[in-house]
Amino acid sequence: MDPLEVMANIKNVFPFFQPIFSADEHRIIGYEVLGRYRNEHEVVSLGPFFQDETIPEEYRLEVDNEVLRKALEQSNLLEEDVLIFINRDADLIMYDHGEQLLDILFEFQEKGLTLNRIVIEITEKNYQGDLDHLDHLLNYYRTYGIKIAVDKLGTDSTQLDRIGQLAPHILKVDLKALRSNTVQQSFHDILYSISMLSRKIGATLLFENIEMEFQLQFAWRNGGRYYQGFYLQQPSSEFANRDILKEKLRQKCQQFISYEKKKLESFYQFTDKFNHRMQQFVGKYKNQDQNELLLEMADRLTNIAFRLYICDEEGFQQSPNIFYQDDHWLQQQEYLYKNWSWRPYFLENIMKMKRMKKGILSDLYTDIETGEMIRTFSYPLKENEYVFIDISYSFLYEHEGLI
Ligand code: CA
C-alpha cells in the first residue's frame, strides 16, 4: 500500500466493525473498529499502514482519526449499551498526549455519545516511552468513564506485571497461537495465569481470533466472557443483528457444559473409588507400623503412583519418600521431617480432609522433580497422619476425565 496514495485519498478510508459477543447473553455487546481503505479495485486493511513506523506519526494519526470519526458517526445507529472498541498504539497516542482522540470523543459526547461506551484497546508492543506518562494519560481517560483494554495478550508472559500495574477493565487475549489441541503447555500455563490475574484485579477477559470451535470452547472454559473472531462473525462495514448467534452460542454453550460435567463426574467417581480402596486397605493394615503400611500400599499402587509419603497436619514429613524407579520401589530417607506447609492449597486440603474424613484428588500440575504432569491423592490415615500419593501421568492419561 502506498502511504501517499492513502493520504491523498483520505476520504476513501472508512471503518469496518467486528462484533464482540458475550458469554452471559449470547449476543453482541460491542464492536471493534478496524481501518479499511478503498482503492480502485478492492477494500484493503489499514493495519499495515498503522504499524508502519516509516510513515510519520501525524499522518497515521490523521488517518486513524478519520476512521474514528466515521465510526462514531455510524455508531449512532447502535443501541445505547453497545460498546465501541478503538485501537490505539501507545506510541501514537502519546505523540499528541492523546489530545486529538479526546477532542473527537468530546465532540461526539455533545451529540449524545456517552463515554463509558468507549473502550480504548491499547497496544504497548513497540512503546519506547515512559510507562508512567502513559498510565497518567490512561488514568485521565478513565476519569471520563472511558474503559481501558490491554490488546494482544497471548504468548508473552512478561506482560503480567504490566497488567497488574495498569489494572485495565478488559484483557484481550489472542488465541492465534492456539491452532491445534496439541499446543504447547506453556501457552496454556500463561493463559491460566492471565485468567487468574484477571479475576483478582476484576478485569473482563476477551478472547479474540477465535477461528475454530475448539478455540471457543477453550475461551469459555478459561473464564472468557467476551468472544471475537471469524468463527463467530467477520468484520463488516455494517452492524450485524445483535442476536444473530443467540441460538448457535446457546447450543455450543450447552455442549461445553455437558462435556465439562462429564469430566467432573469422572473426576468425582475416581475420587470415590480411590477413597473406597484406601478405606479397605487401611482397615486391613491399621495395626502395622507406618513404614510397612506405606511399602505395602506402594506395592499395590505400582503402575498407578510413583511417589508416596506421610505428613502430619502441619506439613512435617513423617516418613521417607517411597519412590518408584527402575522397576522397584526405593526409600528416600532425606525427605524425612521436611516441611510442606508452604505449598499452595496444602493446609487448606489438610483441613478439608480432617473435616470430611475423606481423601482429595488434586488438580493437574507439574511435579517439580520429574517435570511430569501429575495429580496427588491425599488421604487421612489416622489422627494427625496424612498420606500423599503422587499419581503418574501415564495412568492419568489412560483414564478419562483425569487429564
Ligand atoms: Ca485490537
Side-chain angles (χ1 to χ4, degrees), residues 149-175:
V150 174
D151 204 2
K152 298 192 173 61
L153 291 170
T155 42
D156 189 359
S157 62
T158 58
Q159 289 160 311
L160 287 181
D161 72 346
R162 182 68 192 121
I163 296 168
Q165 188 184 2
L166 189 59
H169 301 86
I170 294 171
L171 301 178
K172 287 196 82 163
V173 180
D174 188 348
L175 285 188

PDB file of all heavy atoms in Angstrom, residues 149-175:
ATOM      1  N   ALA A 149      -8.614  -1.320  27.643  1.00  0.00           N
ATOM      2  CA  ALA A 149      -8.341  -2.735  27.400  1.00  0.00           C
ATOM      3  C   ALA A 149      -6.877  -2.882  27.007  1.00  0.00           C
ATOM      4  O   ALA A 149      -6.323  -2.036  26.316  1.00  0.00           O
ATOM      5  CB  ALA A 149      -9.235  -3.257  26.276  1.00  0.00           C
ATOM      6  N   VAL A 150      -6.246  -3.948  27.498  1.00  0.00           N
ATOM      7  CA  VAL A 150      -4.894  -4.256  27.043  1.00  0.00           C
ATOM      8  C   VAL A 150      -5.025  -5.223  25.879  1.00  0.00           C
ATOM      9  O   VAL A 150      -5.646  -6.271  26.000  1.00  0.00           O
ATOM     10  CB  VAL A 150      -4.047  -4.866  28.169  1.00  0.00           C
ATOM     11  CG1 VAL A 150      -2.698  -5.311  27.635  1.00  0.00           C
ATOM     12  CG2 VAL A 150      -3.861  -3.850  29.279  1.00  0.00           C
ATOM     13  N   ASP A 151      -4.447  -4.838  24.737  1.00  0.00           N
ATOM     14  CA  ASP A 151      -4.641  -5.579  23.493  1.00  0.00           C
ATOM     15  C   ASP A 151      -3.524  -6.608  23.286  1.00  0.00           C
ATOM     16  O   ASP A 151      -2.430  -6.463  23.807  1.00  0.00           O
ATOM     17  CB  ASP A 151      -4.637  -4.578  22.327  1.00  0.00           C
ATOM     18  CG  ASP A 151      -5.382  -5.109  21.111  1.00  0.00           C
ATOM     19  OD1 ASP A 151      -5.918  -6.222  21.181  1.00  0.00           O
ATOM     20  OD2 ASP A 151      -5.435  -4.393  20.094  1.00  0.00           O
ATOM     21  N   LYS A 152      -3.847  -7.647  22.514  1.00  0.00           N
ATOM     22  CA  LYS A 152      -2.856  -8.611  22.012  1.00  0.00           C
ATOM     23  C   LYS A 152      -2.059  -9.336  23.092  1.00  0.00           C
ATOM     24  O   LYS A 152      -0.830  -9.442  23.028  1.00  0.00           O
ATOM     25  CB  LYS A 152      -1.893  -7.929  21.046  1.00  0.00           C
ATOM     26  CG  LYS A 152      -2.615  -7.374  19.820  1.00  0.00           C
ATOM     27  CD  LYS A 152      -1.650  -6.963  18.747  1.00  0.00           C
ATOM     28  CE  LYS A 152      -2.368  -6.581  17.469  1.00  0.00           C
ATOM     29  NZ  LYS A 152      -3.292  -5.429  17.624  1.00  0.00           N
ATOM     30  N   LEU A 153      -2.755  -9.817  24.094  1.00  0.00           N
ATOM     31  CA  LEU A 153      -2.085 -10.666  25.074  1.00  0.00           C
ATOM     32  C   LEU A 153      -2.064 -12.075  24.530  1.00  0.00           C
ATOM     33  O   LEU A 153      -2.901 -12.465  23.750  1.00  0.00           O
ATOM     34  CB  LEU A 153      -2.864 -10.677  26.393  1.00  0.00           C
ATOM     35  CG  LEU A 153      -2.856  -9.379  27.176  1.00  0.00           C
ATOM     36  CD1 LEU A 153      -3.856  -9.482  28.299  1.00  0.00           C
ATOM     37  CD2 LEU A 153      -1.469  -9.144  27.732  1.00  0.00           C
ATOM     38  N   GLY A 154      -1.125 -12.854  24.952  1.00  0.00           N
ATOM     39  CA  GLY A 154      -1.133 -14.244  24.496  1.00  0.00           C
ATOM     40  C   GLY A 154       0.108 -14.987  24.896  1.00  0.00           C
ATOM     41  O   GLY A 154       0.180 -15.573  25.965  1.00  0.00           O
ATOM     42  N   THR A 155       1.102 -14.910  24.035  1.00  0.00           N
ATOM     43  CA  THR A 155       2.232 -15.809  24.207  1.00  0.00           C
ATOM     44  C   THR A 155       3.322 -15.241  25.105  1.00  0.00           C
ATOM     45  O   THR A 155       4.266 -15.923  25.436  1.00  0.00           O
ATOM     46  CB  THR A 155       2.844 -16.107  22.831  1.00  0.00           C
ATOM     47  OG1 THR A 155       2.874 -14.902  22.092  1.00  0.00           O
ATOM     48  CG2 THR A 155       1.991 -17.105  22.080  1.00  0.00           C
ATOM     49  N   ASP A 156       3.170 -14.003  25.519  1.00  0.00           N
ATOM     50  CA  ASP A 156       4.250 -13.339  26.224  1.00  0.00           C
ATOM     51  C   ASP A 156       3.896 -13.139  27.701  1.00  0.00           C
ATOM     52  O   ASP A 156       3.040 -12.357  28.038  1.00  0.00           O
ATOM     53  CB  ASP A 156       4.483 -11.979  25.550  1.00  0.00           C
ATOM     54  CG  ASP A 156       5.724 -11.303  26.070  1.00  0.00           C
ATOM     55  OD1 ASP A 156       6.372 -11.891  26.959  1.00  0.00           O
ATOM     56  OD2 ASP A 156       6.029 -10.199  25.609  1.00  0.00           O
ATOM     57  N   SER A 157       4.581 -13.848  28.588  1.00  0.00           N
ATOM     58  CA  SER A 157       4.204 -13.786  29.999  1.00  0.00           C
ATOM     59  C   SER A 157       4.773 -12.540  30.683  1.00  0.00           C
ATOM     60  O   SER A 157       4.385 -12.216  31.788  1.00  0.00           O
ATOM     61  CB  SER A 157       4.689 -15.027  30.737  1.00  0.00           C
ATOM     62  OG  SER A 157       6.092 -15.072  30.682  1.00  0.00           O
ATOM     63  N   THR A 158       5.686 -11.829  29.991  1.00  0.00           N
ATOM     64  CA  THR A 158       6.287 -10.666  30.645  1.00  0.00           C
ATOM     65  C   THR A 158       5.266  -9.557  30.865  1.00  0.00           C
ATOM     66  O   THR A 158       5.527  -8.601  31.577  1.00  0.00           O
ATOM     67  CB  THR A 158       7.434 -10.082  29.794  1.00  0.00           C
ATOM     68  OG1 THR A 158       6.900  -9.737  28.510  1.00  0.00           O
ATOM     69  CG2 THR A 158       8.556 -11.076  29.619  1.00  0.00           C
ATOM     70  N   GLN A 159       4.102  -9.691  30.219  1.00  0.00           N
ATOM     71  CA  GLN A 159       3.110  -8.626  30.346  1.00  0.00           C
ATOM     72  C   GLN A 159       2.355  -8.679  31.675  1.00  0.00           C
ATOM     73  O   GLN A 159       1.625  -7.768  32.002  1.00  0.00           O
ATOM     74  CB  GLN A 159       2.111  -8.715  29.202  1.00  0.00           C
ATOM     75  CG  GLN A 159       2.706  -8.310  27.872  1.00  0.00           C
ATOM     76  CD  GLN A 159       1.887  -8.861  26.726  1.00  0.00           C
ATOM     77  OE1 GLN A 159       1.557 -10.047  26.705  1.00  0.00           O
ATOM     78  NE2 GLN A 159       1.543  -8.031  25.786  1.00  0.00           N
ATOM     79  N   LEU A 160       2.563  -9.771  32.429  1.00  0.00           N
ATOM     80  CA  LEU A 160       1.744  -9.954  33.625  1.00  0.00           C
ATOM     81  C   LEU A 160       1.879  -8.818  34.632  1.00  0.00           C
ATOM     82  O   LEU A 160       0.876  -8.332  35.140  1.00  0.00           O
ATOM     83  CB  LEU A 160       2.069 -11.291  34.295  1.00  0.00           C
ATOM     84  CG  LEU A 160       1.553 -12.530  33.583  1.00  0.00           C
ATOM     85  CD1 LEU A 160       1.922 -13.778  34.357  1.00  0.00           C
ATOM     86  CD2 LEU A 160       0.044 -12.463  33.395  1.00  0.00           C
ATOM     87  N   ASP A 161       3.106  -8.378  34.921  1.00  0.00           N
ATOM     88  CA  ASP A 161       3.224  -7.336  35.950  1.00  0.00           C
ATOM     89  C   ASP A 161       2.711  -5.998  35.427  1.00  0.00           C
ATOM     90  O   ASP A 161       2.207  -5.178  36.179  1.00  0.00           O
ATOM     91  CB  ASP A 161       4.635  -7.250  36.548  1.00  0.00           C
ATOM     92  CG  ASP A 161       5.645  -6.649  35.596  1.00  0.00           C
ATOM     93  OD1 ASP A 161       5.305  -6.566  34.415  1.00  0.00           O
ATOM     94  OD2 ASP A 161       6.742  -6.287  36.035  1.00  0.00           O
ATOM     95  N   ARG A 162       2.819  -5.810  34.113  1.00  0.00           N
ATOM     96  CA  ARG A 162       2.272  -4.602  33.476  1.00  0.00           C
ATOM     97  C   ARG A 162       0.741  -4.576  33.652  1.00  0.00           C
ATOM     98  O   ARG A 162       0.160  -3.540  33.919  1.00  0.00           O
ATOM     99  CB  ARG A 162       2.657  -4.640  31.999  1.00  0.00           C
ATOM    100  CG  ARG A 162       2.235  -3.475  31.193  1.00  0.00           C
ATOM    101  CD  ARG A 162       2.949  -2.204  31.572  1.00  0.00           C
ATOM    102  NE  ARG A 162       2.290  -1.063  30.956  1.00  0.00           N
ATOM    103  CZ  ARG A 162       1.774  -0.046  31.623  1.00  0.00           C
ATOM    104  NH1 ARG A 162       1.889   0.000  32.925  1.00  0.00           N
ATOM    105  NH2 ARG A 162       1.168   0.940  30.998  1.00  0.00           N
ATOM    106  N   ILE A 163       0.103  -5.721  33.475  1.00  0.00           N
ATOM    107  CA  ILE A 163      -1.349  -5.806  33.634  1.00  0.00           C
ATOM    108  C   ILE A 163      -1.734  -5.470  35.066  1.00  0.00           C
ATOM    109  O   ILE A 163      -2.676  -4.732  35.326  1.00  0.00           O
ATOM    110  CB  ILE A 163      -1.858  -7.221  33.280  1.00  0.00           C
ATOM    111  CG1 ILE A 163      -1.597  -7.519  31.805  1.00  0.00           C
ATOM    112  CG2 ILE A 163      -3.337  -7.360  33.589  1.00  0.00           C
ATOM    113  CD1 ILE A 163      -1.805  -8.975  31.445  1.00  0.00           C
ATOM    114  N   GLY A 164      -0.957  -6.030  36.001  1.00  0.00           N
ATOM    115  CA  GLY A 164      -1.228  -5.754  37.411  1.00  0.00           C
ATOM    116  C   GLY A 164      -1.153  -4.265  37.706  1.00  0.00           C
ATOM    117  O   GLY A 164      -1.965  -3.711  38.437  1.00  0.00           O
ATOM    118  N   GLN A 165      -0.167  -3.616  37.099  1.00  0.00           N
ATOM    119  CA  GLN A 165       0.063  -2.194  37.336  1.00  0.00           C
ATOM    120  C   GLN A 165      -1.056  -1.336  36.739  1.00  0.00           C
ATOM    121  O   GLN A 165      -1.562  -0.418  37.357  1.00  0.00           O
ATOM    122  CB  GLN A 165       1.404  -1.840  36.680  1.00  0.00           C
ATOM    123  CG  GLN A 165       1.913  -0.451  36.962  1.00  0.00           C
ATOM    124  CD  GLN A 165       3.196  -0.197  36.168  1.00  0.00           C
ATOM    125  OE1 GLN A 165       3.669  -1.038  35.396  1.00  0.00           O
ATOM    126  NE2 GLN A 165       3.746   0.983  36.345  1.00  0.00           N
ATOM    127  N   LEU A 166      -1.455  -1.671  35.518  1.00  0.00           N
ATOM    128  CA  LEU A 166      -2.442  -0.855  34.798  1.00  0.00           C
ATOM    129  C   LEU A 166      -3.870  -1.143  35.251  1.00  0.00           C
ATOM    130  O   LEU A 166      -4.731  -0.286  35.176  1.00  0.00           O
ATOM    131  CB  LEU A 166      -2.300  -1.116  33.287  1.00  0.00           C
ATOM    132  CG  LEU A 166      -3.064  -0.236  32.313  1.00  0.00           C
ATOM    133  CD1 LEU A 166      -2.653   1.227  32.499  1.00  0.00           C
ATOM    134  CD2 LEU A 166      -2.787  -0.667  30.879  1.00  0.00           C
ATOM    135  N   ALA A 167      -4.111  -2.369  35.768  1.00  0.00           N
ATOM    136  CA  ALA A 167      -5.453  -2.790  36.167  1.00  0.00           C
ATOM    137  C   ALA A 167      -6.520  -2.363  35.156  1.00  0.00           C
ATOM    138  O   ALA A 167      -7.414  -1.570  35.463  1.00  0.00           O
ATOM    139  CB  ALA A 167      -5.807  -2.265  37.570  1.00  0.00           C
ATOM    140  N   PRO A 168      -6.439  -2.836  33.910  1.00  0.00           N
ATOM    141  CA  PRO A 168      -7.399  -2.434  32.886  1.00  0.00           C
ATOM    142  C   PRO A 168      -8.776  -3.051  33.138  1.00  0.00           C
ATOM    143  O   PRO A 168      -8.906  -3.971  33.937  1.00  0.00           O
ATOM    144  CB  PRO A 168      -6.796  -3.006  31.595  1.00  0.00           C
ATOM    145  CG  PRO A 168      -5.958  -4.145  32.039  1.00  0.00           C
ATOM    146  CD  PRO A 168      -5.504  -3.855  33.427  1.00  0.00           C
ATOM    147  N   HIS A 169      -9.789  -2.525  32.432  1.00  0.00           N
ATOM    148  CA  HIS A 169     -11.130  -3.089  32.553  1.00  0.00           C
ATOM    149  C   HIS A 169     -11.219  -4.417  31.807  1.00  0.00           C
ATOM    150  O   HIS A 169     -11.964  -5.302  32.191  1.00  0.00           O
ATOM    151  CB  HIS A 169     -12.168  -2.145  31.952  1.00  0.00           C
ATOM    152  CG  HIS A 169     -12.176  -0.787  32.596  1.00  0.00           C
ATOM    153  ND1 HIS A 169     -11.336   0.228  32.185  1.00  0.00           N
ATOM    154  CD2 HIS A 169     -12.913  -0.287  33.612  1.00  0.00           C
ATOM    155  CE1 HIS A 169     -11.560   1.308  32.926  1.00  0.00           C
ATOM    156  NE2 HIS A 169     -12.521   1.027  33.800  1.00  0.00           N
ATOM    157  N   ILE A 170     -10.509  -4.490  30.677  1.00  0.00           N
ATOM    158  CA  ILE A 170     -10.640  -5.646  29.788  1.00  0.00           C
ATOM    159  C   ILE A 170      -9.250  -6.131  29.368  1.00  0.00           C
ATOM    160  O   ILE A 170      -8.360  -5.318  29.098  1.00  0.00           O
ATOM    161  CB  ILE A 170     -11.466  -5.255  28.531  1.00  0.00           C
ATOM    162  CG1 ILE A 170     -12.911  -4.918  28.949  1.00  0.00           C
ATOM    163  CG2 ILE A 170     -11.467  -6.374  27.485  1.00  0.00           C
ATOM    164  CD1 ILE A 170     -13.763  -4.322  27.860  1.00  0.00           C
ATOM    165  N   LEU A 171      -9.068  -7.445  29.325  1.00  0.00           N
ATOM    166  CA  LEU A 171      -7.840  -8.027  28.788  1.00  0.00           C
ATOM    167  C   LEU A 171      -8.190  -8.757  27.499  1.00  0.00           C
ATOM    168  O   LEU A 171      -9.043  -9.646  27.504  1.00  0.00           O
ATOM    169  CB  LEU A 171      -7.241  -9.033  29.780  1.00  0.00           C
ATOM    170  CG  LEU A 171      -6.873  -8.504  31.164  1.00  0.00           C
ATOM    171  CD1 LEU A 171      -6.341  -9.639  32.035  1.00  0.00           C
ATOM    172  CD2 LEU A 171      -5.827  -7.408  31.043  1.00  0.00           C
ATOM    173  N   LYS A 172      -7.538  -8.376  26.402  1.00  0.00           N
ATOM    174  CA  LYS A 172      -7.796  -9.053  25.130  1.00  0.00           C
ATOM    175  C   LYS A 172      -6.720 -10.101  24.896  1.00  0.00           C
ATOM    176  O   LYS A 172      -5.543  -9.768  24.751  1.00  0.00           O
ATOM    177  CB  LYS A 172      -7.790  -8.048  23.972  1.00  0.00           C
ATOM    178  CG  LYS A 172      -9.030  -7.178  23.953  1.00  0.00           C
ATOM    179  CD  LYS A 172      -9.198  -6.485  22.604  1.00  0.00           C
ATOM    180  CE  LYS A 172      -9.851  -7.367  21.572  1.00  0.00           C
ATOM    181  NZ  LYS A 172     -10.390  -6.600  20.407  1.00  0.00           N
ATOM    182  N   VAL A 173      -7.141 -11.348  24.879  1.00  0.00           N
ATOM    183  CA  VAL A 173      -6.190 -12.438  24.703  1.00  0.00           C
ATOM    184  C   VAL A 173      -6.312 -12.990  23.288  1.00  0.00           C
ATOM    185  O   VAL A 173      -7.397 -13.348  22.838  1.00  0.00           O
ATOM    186  CB  VAL A 173      -6.445 -13.559  25.724  1.00  0.00           C
ATOM    187  CG1 VAL A 173      -5.449 -14.691  25.528  1.00  0.00           C
ATOM    188  CG2 VAL A 173      -6.367 -13.010  27.138  1.00  0.00           C
ATOM    189  N   ASP A 174      -5.176 -13.048  22.596  1.00  0.00           N
ATOM    190  CA  ASP A 174      -5.136 -13.504  21.210  1.00  0.00           C
ATOM    191  C   ASP A 174      -4.991 -15.023  21.192  1.00  0.00           C
ATOM    192  O   ASP A 174      -4.031 -15.558  21.726  1.00  0.00           O
ATOM    193  CB  ASP A 174      -3.935 -12.840  20.524  1.00  0.00           C
ATOM    194  CG  ASP A 174      -3.924 -13.098  19.027  1.00  0.00           C
ATOM    195  OD1 ASP A 174      -4.692 -13.955  18.572  1.00  0.00           O
ATOM    196  OD2 ASP A 174      -3.138 -12.429  18.335  1.00  0.00           O
ATOM    197  N   LEU A 175      -5.952 -15.701  20.578  1.00  0.00           N
ATOM    198  CA  LEU A 175      -5.891 -17.169  20.528  1.00  0.00           C
ATOM    199  C   LEU A 175      -5.254 -17.697  19.243  1.00  0.00           C
ATOM    200  O   LEU A 175      -5.338 -18.877  18.954  1.00  0.00           O
ATOM    201  CB  LEU A 175      -7.292 -17.765  20.702  1.00  0.00           C
ATOM    202  CG  LEU A 175      -7.846 -17.732  22.118  1.00  0.00           C
ATOM    203  CD1 LEU A 175      -9.141 -18.505  22.212  1.00  0.00           C
ATOM    204  CD2 LEU A 175      -6.853 -18.280  23.131  1.00  0.00           C
TER     205      LEU A 175
END
